[in-house]
Amino acid sequence: MNVASRPEPGSEPGPEPGPEPGPEPRLEPGPATGHEIAESIGLLIQRGTRAGLYTSLVEGVADGLDENAYPVLSGLARTGPSNAADLAAVIGLDRSGVSRHASRLEAAGLIRREPDPADRRSVLLVLTYTGIAAVGELRRRLAERIAAALEEWPPGEAEAFARGLRRFVAEGPF
């Protein structure tokens, strides 16, 4: 290429203009939608995301309840009486972590330990009345946080999201 045929600086052709901006394209179920959902779920279940949420939920609910013990208390509310090993599998902690958090929750009067009638060597973790009340307060706070986050959504969208999420959990890959 000789000097005469070179374009002037700044006059190089740029990319072709794209389509006019408009509404965001709607994702139909398929690999792209699956990736987008997987990325969002990944963000939701990151330890840091959960810990930040749990910290704000547990504040002032009960002595001995912190963001690290929250999953144990919440898990017991979902499963009912459970031994530490079974609860650990449900909430994604190891047995020793569940036992450590359970000791703090027990000292705070939120759970108690009872012999397992099905296995004399095992102990069940059980919510106390105080623990049940604490879980009720935690669930109320969480529902309020979610409702506040959805306040600005157009009418019907939050309800459709709730129905879709419920269906996804029931029918999804879990």
Side-chain angles (χ1 to χ4, degrees):
M1 175 188 259
N2 66 33
V3 175
S5 64
R6 285 192 188 149
E8 293 291 320
S11 67
E12 292 88 8
E16 289 293 317
E20 289 296 313
E24 196 170 305
R26 189 175 164 167
L27 291 175
E28 296 299 325
T33 303
H35 287 293
E36 184 174 344
I37 291 170
E39 186 175 318
S40 296
I41 289 172
L43 290 171
L44 281 174
I45 63 176
Q46 282 179 350
R47 182 179 175 93
T49 303
R50 291 189 332 261
L53 174 64
Y54 299 164
T55 298
S56 67
L57 293 177
V58 301
E59 186 178 339
V61 171
D63 290 336
L65 178 59
D66 64 15
E67 68 276 4
N68 296 312
Y70 173 90
V72 174
L73 193 68
S74 179
L76 275 177
R78 286 191 312 274
T79 65
S82 183
N83 65 43
D86 291 343
L87 184 59
V90 170
I91 64 174
L93 294 177
D94 61 39
R95 182 181 180 191
S96 64
V98 169
S99 294
R100 186 174 51 256
H101 297 309
S103 293
R104 288 200 345 255
L105 294 170
E106 183 178 31
L110 299 171
I111 68 169
R112 67 178 179 275
R113 297 174 198 259
E114 295 181 355
D116 185 343
D119 181 355
R120 293 183 318 160
R121 298 167 296 158
S122 183
V123 174
L124 296 176
L125 305 174
V126 181
L127 288 175
T128 62
Y129 289 116
T130 305
I132 292 168
V135 168
E137 175 63 15
L138 293 167
R139 288 182 176 168
R140 184 191 66 73
R141 288 180 179 194
L142 180 58
E144 284 180 357
R145 292 273 311 266
I146 292 169
L150 299 172
E151 249 174 25
E152 300 298 318
W153 287 28
E157 255 189 53
E159 293 80 5
F161 173 68
R163 284 190 307 276
L165 183 58
R166 211 174 9 256
R167 181 177 177 187
F168 180 73
V169 169
E171 299 174 10
F174 309 106

